Amino acid sequence: MKVLFATSEIAPWVKTGGLGDVAGALPGALRALGHDVRVLVPAYPALLESFPDAEEIARPHWLGGLLPTPGLREAVAPDGTPLLLLDYPPYFKRPGSPYLGPEGRDWLDNHLRFGLLARVAAWLGSEASTLAWTPDIIHCHDWQTGLAPAYLHYLPGQLAKSLFTVHNLAFQGLFDHASLFELGLPDASWHINGVEFYGYLSFLKAGLQLADAITTVSPTYSKEIQTDAEGMGMAGLLRHRAADLSGILNGIDTQVWNPATDPSLLHNYSARHLEHKALNKADLQRQLGLEQRPDLPLLAVVSRLTEQKGLDLLLDVAPQVLAMPAQIAVLGSGAARMEQAWRAMAHQYPTQCAVTIGFDEALAHRIEAAADIFVMPSRFEPCGLNQMYSLRYGTPPVVRATGGLADTVIDAADEKHGSGFVFGPATAEALLQALQRATSAWQDPKLWRRLQKHGMARDSSWEAAARHYAELYQSL
Ligand code: ADP
C-alpha cells in the first residue's frame, strides 16, 4: 500500500505528546512490513536545520480560499522513511511549540497553518498533484489534519481514501464561520453532516464525520468516547460511525526504552538480573536527596501535571502513602497550581518526597528504572506510554481502568498474567486502596518478581500495531 501520513508533529524533531512518538515510529514499522509510507509534516525550523539539503520537488497552487502556495521539500529520515516537508516560512518558521506563540496562547492563524497542511495532503491524493507518487490512503492524525478528509470529500478529482486517528479527543480545532471561506471549503460543507459543530468550524469533527475510517489509540478508548460522559460532545457522531471506528493500541520504541542497554542508567539490567534494579534505586535516592532506604517502596510519577492525569488524587492521599511508610518521586510540569501543590508536598516531607518540575528525558528513564511502583491515576487516557515503559522496566504500575491503561495492565488478581494494579473509580479512596494493595504485594518478593516478569515479557513493539493498521488500509 502507498500511504501518506499527514501529521503536525514527528519525533524526535517536533513533539508535544504521544502523536509525535507515533508519527516518528509507526511509518518505519509499516515500511518494515513492505508498505510505501511517506510523511507530510510542516517544515518547522528543527526539521529544516536537520535537513538543510532537502530539495523542493513541487509547488501545490490554486489551493482555494486564502491558502498560499507552499513548497514541498523532500528528505529521508534516518530510518529510511521519506519526508515531505511543507515549506511556507510565514506559517512555520516560528520558534518553540508548533501550536503556541510566545505568550503560551494559540497562534491566531492556526486554522490557516493546519488547514494548509490538510489541503496539501488532499492535493497529494488528487489528480491535481504533480508528483509521480499518489497515495492510496491518507492517514490523518488529530484535529490538525482533520480537514483533509473534508477536502477529499468536497473537492473533485480525489483518488485516495482517508483514515483519521484520534490521539486525544479533548483538542477539537474550533474556529469561526469566516474560516470556511479562508480555507476554500464550499458553503455546502457548513452542515451538521459536514464540518459545522455548534456554530463553529471544527477540524476534529470534520475528520470524524468525513474520513472513510476512524481509529483511536486503544480499543477501550474507542468505546469510552461513544458514551456521553466521555465523548466530549462527539459521542453521538461517534456512535453513528461505530461501524467504521476501531482502536489500535500504540507501541513503544523498544530500543530507546530497554533497561538492558539504556545509556541513561548507571546500572543496566534485564528480567534475569533484576537485582541490579536496586542499584538504580539507590542512585536515584541519592540524586533526588531522598533518604537511602532500600526497605521503603519508592513510588514514581512521570507526567504532564494536568487534570487529565489525576495527580490531584495522589496529592490527596500522599500523606497517608508516605506514612505507610513509602517514598514518592515526581517528575512533571503543567498546571501552575498543581506544580505548586507538589512542591509544597516535597517541602513538607524532604526525605520522603522528591518533586522535579520540568521536562527531563534522562531523568524519566532513571525514574522508570529506579522506582518500585509507577502511578498513573488518569481520569482518561487515550493510550498512555509511561505504563508500557514501566512494565518493560520491571516497575509494576498502579493505574485507573481507563483507555489504554485498561488495555495494557493486567491486575495482580490474575495470578497467571497479572502485571500491575488496576482500580475503578476516579477517587482518592480507590487510588489509596490500590496503592495499599501494591505496597503490601511489594513486601512479598516472590509475588513481586512474578508481576515484574509478566510485565517485562509483554510485547509492546510497534510491529503488532503496524499489522493492524496495514489490515485496515487494505480493507479501505
Ligand atoms: P501524554 O501524551 O498524554 O502526555 P503519554 O503517556 O502518552 O501521555 O506520553 C507522555 C510522554 O511524555 C512519555 O514519553 C513520557 O515519558 C513523556 N513525559 C511526560 N512528562 C515528562 C517530563 N516531565 N519529563 C520527561 N518526559 C516526560
Side-chain angles (χ1 to χ4, degrees):
M1 304 287 299
K2 289 184 284 180
V3 182
L4 179 74
F5 265 55
T7 178
S8 60
E9 303 184 14
I10 180 167
W13 299 280
V14 184
K15 166 183 159 180
T16 70
L19 163 60
D21 287 319
V22 174
L26 181 55
L30 282 160
R31 289 177 64 80
L33 297 180
H35 299 285
D36 180 358
V37 183
R38 308 184 185 193
V39 180
L40 174 70
V41 60
Y44 303 111
L47 279 155
L48 286 179
E49 279 158 28
S50 290
F51 302 103
D53 303 326
E55 294 226 17
E56 187 170 294
I57 54 164
R59 287 189 76 71
H61 52 256
W62 306 122
L63 296 178
L66 300 182
L67 294 174
T69 298
L72 273 179
R73 295 181 180 278
E74 194 175 44
V76 179
D79 72 354
T81 303
L83 305 177
L84 294 166
L85 307 179
L86 176 64
D87 193 18
Y88 188 66
Y91 281 5
F92 300 119
K93 198 176 169 194
R94 300 179 191 180
S97 155
Y99 315 120
L100 309 176
E103 242 95 278
R105 266 179 298 222
D106 289 342
W107 292 110
L108 287 175
D109 57 355
N110 273 352
H111 61 300
L112 290 172
R113 299 172 74 227
F114 298 108
L116 180 67
L117 175 64
R119 180 65 186 89
V120 170
W123 181 85
L124 284 162
S126 76
E127 286 167 359
S129 172
T130 54
L131 293 193
W133 184 85
T134 306
D136 303 310
I137 305 282
I138 300 186
H139 189 165
C140 309
H141 299 268
D142 273 355
W143 74 266
Q144 295 88 340
T145 51
L147 283 193
Y151 288 120
L152 286 170
H153 182 79
Y154 290 109
L155 301 184
Q158 304 300 333
L159 305 168
K161 295 283 183 181
S162 61
L163 171 64
F164 184 64
T165 295
V166 181
H167 300 260
N168 196 329
L169 203 67
F171 304 108
Q172 307 198 328
L174 295 175
F175 302 98
D176 58 29
H177 186 187
S179 318
L180 196 73
F181 158 75
E182 296 179 34
L183 290 161
L185 284 164
D187 285 341
S189 67
W190 191 258
H191 192 272
I192 186 166
N193 294 328
V195 303
E196 188 265 349
F197 184 64
Y198 295 103
Y200 288 90
L201 164 57
S202 165
F203 280 34
L204 176 77
K205 188 218 161 154
L208 297 177
Q209 180 77 47
L210 298 166
D212 293 301
I214 307 164
T215 60
T216 63
V217 287
S218 69
T220 295
Y221 190 61
S222 77
K223 302 263 171 359
E224 288 169 341
I225 59 177
Q226 294 180 51
T227 66
D228 291 334
E230 303 193 54
M232 306 221 171
M234 302 288 176
L237 166 57
L238 289 163
R239 285 196 294 270
H240 179 67
R241 298 225 52 196
D244 303 314
L245 169 60
S246 58
I248 299 178
L249 205 55
N250 283 340
I252 60 172
D253 189 325
T254 49
Q255 306 215 314
V256 171
W257 292 93
N258 181 355
T261 54
D262 189 334
S264 300
L265 310 188
L266 300 184
H267 309 279
N268 289 110
Y269 62 94
S270 62
R272 270 200 277 145
H273 293 284
L274 269 171
E275 63 281 3
H276 290 176
K277 191 166 158 53
L279 303 174
N280 288 293
K281 178 171 171 180
D283 284 332
L284 188 77
Q285 286 171 324
R286 206 174 305 121
Q287 180 183 349
L288 297 180
L290 293 168
E291 201 179 349
Q292 298 273 306
R293 291 283 297 272
D295 58 314
L296 295 188
L298 173 59
L299 283 63
V301 170
V302 178
S303 181
R304 290 186 288 124
L305 301 178
T306 64
E307 169 89 9
Q308 177 196 336
K309 301 294 181 178
L311 294 167
D312 48 316
L313 304 177
L314 184 59
L315 264 172
D316 286 348
V317 299
Q320 287 133 288
V321 172
L322 295 170
M324 279 175 181
Q327 295 179 334
I328 300 178
V330 174
L331 167 62
S333 61
R337 232 169 354 118
M338 211 181 293
E339 289 183 358
Q340 190 44 40
W342 274 110
R343 276 208 189 93
M345 190 67 67
H347 191 73
Q348 198 179 342
Y349 300 92
T351 60
Q352 275 184 280
C353 180
V355 173
T356 310
I357 300 297
F359 197 96
D360 185 336
E361 199 89 36
L363 182 57
H365 283 246
R366 300 190 65 184
I367 289 177
E368 289 285 5
D372 296 302
I373 296 164
F374 202 84
V375 190
M376 283 181 86
S378 306
R379 292 199 162 78
F380 69 94
E381 195 62 78
C383 177
L385 297 172
N386 274 303
Q387 83 280 11
M388 290 195 261
Y389 303 153
S390 70
L391 290 171
R392 196 160 156 77
Y393 277 57
T395 310
V398 172
V399 303
R400 196 171 98 68
T402 183
L405 299 176
D407 291 337
T408 50
V409 181
I410 301 169
D411 191 85
D414 180 338
E415 284 186 18
K416 277 220 182 81
H417 307 99
S419 55
F421 301 84
V422 184
F423 67 97
T427 63
E429 300 80 68
L431 170 62
L432 183 60
Q433 273 179 19
L435 293 173
Q436 280 161 340
R437 278 205 297 138
T439 49
S440 73
W442 181 75
Q443 311 287 349
D444 177 346
K446 235 172 106 190
L447 165 59
W448 199 253
R449 183 61 64 113
R450 198 172 68 215
L451 290 173
Q452 288 177 304
K453 294 221 152 139
H454 289 162
M456 294 179 94
R458 180 178 189 279
D459 178 9
S460 303
S461 68
W462 273 105
E463 198 188 318
R467 285 188 191 286
H468 282 113
Y469 280 109
E471 278 167 25
L472 187 53
Y473 297 153
Q474 204 74 50
S475 76
L476 288 175

